[in-house]
Amino acid sequence: MTKIHPSSASASITAAPTPSLVSESPNEAVVLTVWTKSLLFNCNGFTVYDSKGNLVYRVDNYIAGSKGEIVLMDAAGKSILTIRRKRLSLGDNWMVYDGDTKVNPRFSVKKHVKILNTRCLARVMSSGRGGSESPSPKSSSPSSTLYEIDGSYAQRCCVVYDHKRQRVAEIRRKEAGIGGVSLGGDVFRLVVEPHFDTSVAMALVILLDQMFGRSSSFKR
């Protein structure tokens, strides 16, 4: 069986706290391996490794639990971001909060529904609170578009663009090291540019999976 991550020792759910996700070069992107499987038996979720095989992010049991709330944790199980479905809103709309807080969302993500632009999957919107806690520099306009996600999540081929159409993160298919055998949609790469928050990028992956993945009846 093809190894998903380089270090088998990193699979322990009692791993050390998440290491700093910084590239060896400040000009190089951080490359993560995302596995659409929880490390906990009989649970759903995600397991994320860095390039050295260290466990860095976890999502456990979010489908079996509350479908309106998803928690992104570090390797030690500490809540980094909490994703909550926005109530009483039209369409697929989610709010993202720091840690396990329930006030002052960091940003929101809304599924794109217009059929004219078929490449656009979702938009990341400012919460309007501004400051360094926002996923991008300060925005003077509340609820302005910070990022756009284009591509096909079903094909594991998506790009996150900022407001200047510069690439900040990308989902790519992952191939085995020997023979270039594809590992399928359950394992893929998440490539994050140096200036972009890897936890935010992973939150966007989780939301794409909610909108177009295993739990969605409409996939693209």
Side-chain angles (χ1 to χ4, degrees):
M1 179 178 177
T2 303
K3 291 176 65 176
I4 294 172
H5 50 86
S7 174
S8 59
S10 65
S12 171
I13 62 173
T14 59
T18 305
S20 178
L21 294 178
V22 178
S23 173
E24 294 181 359
S25 169
N27 297 320
E28 291 183 0
V30 175
V31 181
L32 304 176
T33 295
V34 181
W35 188 19
T36 57
K37 183 177 178 65
S38 169
L39 289 176
L40 300 180
F41 178 72
N42 200 30
C43 289
N44 295 302
F46 289 88
T47 306
V48 185
Y49 302 94
D50 66 13
S51 60
K52 296 181 180 179
N54 297 308
L55 177 64
V56 289
Y57 294 127
R58 296 167 45 192
V59 177
D60 298 320
N61 208 32
Y62 70 82
I63 292 180
S66 172
K67 293 184 178 181
E69 181 173 293
I70 306 166
V71 180
L72 174 66
M73 301 178 288
D74 66 11
K78 179 182 178 181
S79 300
I80 300 175
L81 295 173
T82 298
I83 304 167
R84 297 184 176 94
R85 186 185 293 274
K86 189 175 182 179
R87 297 178 180 179
L88 304 177
S89 64
L90 297 176
D92 217 339
N93 200 349
W94 298 75
M95 309 296 289
V96 181
Y97 300 80
D98 287 315
D100 54 6
T101 60
K102 294 185 178 181
V103 295
N104 297 326
R106 185 166 175 176
F107 58 94
S108 66
V109 180
K110 187 172 184 178
K111 183 177 180 179
H112 184 71
V113 294
K114 292 182 180 180
I115 61 175
L116 294 179
N117 183 1
T118 57
R119 293 288 296 174
C120 181
L121 300 178
R123 288 194 169 94
V124 182
M125 314 295 292
S126 169
S127 67
R129 78 180 186 184
S132 60
E133 295 179 340
S134 180
S136 76
K138 284 186 179 181
S139 172
S140 59
S141 174
S143 300
S144 61
T145 300
L146 300 175
Y147 305 99
E148 183 176 293
I149 309 172
D150 292 1
S152 171
Y153 180 73
Q155 298 298 319
R156 302 298 188 262
C157 182
C158 302
V159 179
V160 183
Y161 294 102
D162 65 12
H163 65 286
K164 296 180 180 179
R165 293 299 290 180
Q166 294 179 329
R167 183 174 308 196
V168 297
E170 184 177 3
I171 295 173
R172 301 176 184 169
R173 283 188 173 273
K174 182 179 175 68
E175 295 181 345
I178 300 176
V181 179
S182 175
L183 296 174
D186 289 342
V187 181
F188 53 90
R189 295 187 189 276
L190 176 60
V191 182
V192 185
E193 295 302 319
H195 58 281
F196 195 66
D197 189 336
T198 56
S199 65
V200 170
M202 189 58 213
L204 299 183
V205 170
I206 294 169
L207 286 171
L208 287 174
D209 194 72
Q210 283 289 302
M211 297 173 184
F212 305 102
R214 297 163 292 184
S215 59
S216 173
S217 59
F218 177 66
K219 302 176 182 179
R220 61 178 172 134

